[in-house]
Amino acid sequence: MTIYPETENPLNLYKLLIGAVVPRPIALVSSLSADGIPNLAPFSFFTVASANPPVICFAPMFRGADGSSKDTLQNIRDTKEFVVNIVSEDFGPRMNLTAGEYPPQVNEFEVSGLTPLASEAVGAFRVAESRVQMECRLKEIVEVSSLPLGGSLVLGEIVRMHIADEIVTDYRIDPDKLAAIGRMGGPTYSRTRDRYEMERP
Ligand SMILES: Cc1cc2nc3c(=O)[nH]c(=O)nc-3n(C[C@H](O)[C@H](O)[C@H](O)COP(=O)(O)O)c2cc1C
């Protein structure tokens, strides 16, 4: 099968991409609206962009149905701040509850039962249940495409990183204690328990 993107339905391209680029880590992104309403949503188009300075990036897409902005993107445009929380197995189902397409006035901390924790350097709350929480200041938004299912790359500089003491030794995080989950296609997730080593040449 060979795909010619210029003639393909964008939804099919989306399905192929989320099936091919796997597993994807999940950023549970907390933000505040201009009016101060907390927002929480997961994003798996997510990775590290730089360690010096520490910069992470994730990509909210414009909604497939009507091309509108996700609340997270609008909030970050307005406030220039957010928190990325890493998702562990134990609160995966609560993370999933935050992914509903709720109107901007809905506080997904209340919908999901996840616990808001005040941040040190930014207004957005951290997720208390998360073992790694990264407080970020917006560095740049790259609008890759403004079409429905097009993405904006949000780059955030980490200004505070909180790691649960019990999961870290000498700056190394124990993956069993973090128990991060990843997203595959559709409703499928992966655990990070099945690992092996390969020495680099
Ligand atoms: C595990 C998971 C990963 C997701 N990753 C993305 C993503 O990378 N980009 C995106 O636009 N939506 C993604 N979504 C969907 C958003 O979370 C969903 O549209 C959410 O309602 C957006 O919330 P907001 O409007 O409050 O920002 C994901 C959903 C789940 C469950």
Side-chain angles (χ1 to χ4, degrees):
M1 183 184 194
T2 301
I3 298 297
Y4 299 90
E6 61 277 15
T7 55
E8 192 58 74
N9 178 331
L11 191 57
N12 292 338
L13 297 172
Y14 169 77
K15 285 193 227 162
L16 288 168
L17 287 166
I18 64 167
V21 184
V22 288
R24 296 181 304 285
I26 303 169
L28 184 53
V29 180
S30 161
S31 59
L32 284 183
S33 72
D35 302 336
I37 301 168
N39 192 89
L40 200 53
F43 294 89
S44 67
F45 293 3
F46 162 53
T47 194
V48 176
S50 165
N52 184 20
V55 175
I56 50 95
C57 58
F58 72 98
M61 292 182 299
F62 293 101
R63 291 194 183 92
D66 60 3
S68 60
S69 270
K70 305 233 168 159
D71 301 342
T72 300
L73 180 62
Q74 190 55 51
N75 290 351
I76 294 172
R77 280 200 189 111
D78 291 343
T79 64
K80 318 269 186 273
E81 295 177 345
F82 57 98
V83 180
V84 167
N85 303 273
I86 299 296
V87 180
S88 299
E89 276 178 49
D90 57 346
F91 66 95
R94 280 176 282 172
M95 171 281 295
N96 195 34
L97 288 174
T98 70
E101 298 288 349
Y102 308 110
Q105 59 276 15
V106 169
N107 173 352
E108 287 91 354
F109 280 100
E110 287 171 1
V111 172
S112 63
L114 288 165
T115 313
L117 182 64
S119 292
E120 282 184 19
V122 304
F125 292 99
R126 298 180 269 156
V127 171
E129 286 80 359
S130 174
R131 293 152 181 81
V132 181
Q133 309 147 347
M134 295 173 273
E135 299 182 28
C136 298
R137 286 224 176 87
L138 176 63
K139 189 172 166 58
E140 194 179 343
I141 298 177
V142 180
E143 194 164 289
V144 180
S145 159
S146 55
L147 298 170
L149 298 180
S152 302
L153 191 65
V154 177
L155 291 139
E157 181 164 345
I158 301 171
V159 292
R160 291 283 189 291
M161 187 166 176
H162 308 267
I163 303 135
D165 292 333
E166 63 275 15
I167 74 163
V168 64
T169 311
D170 192 22
Y171 294 93
R172 294 203 186 274
I173 291 176
D174 181 333
D176 285 320
K177 291 183 178 155
L178 179 60
I181 56 171
R183 175 127 191 249
M184 311 288 289
T188 308
Y189 290 81
S190 64
R191 299 188 179 91
T192 43
R193 295 184 208 165
D194 179 13
R195 301 185 298 270
Y196 66 101
E197 300 196 355
M198 233 189 307
E199 296 302 332
R200 269 203 255 178

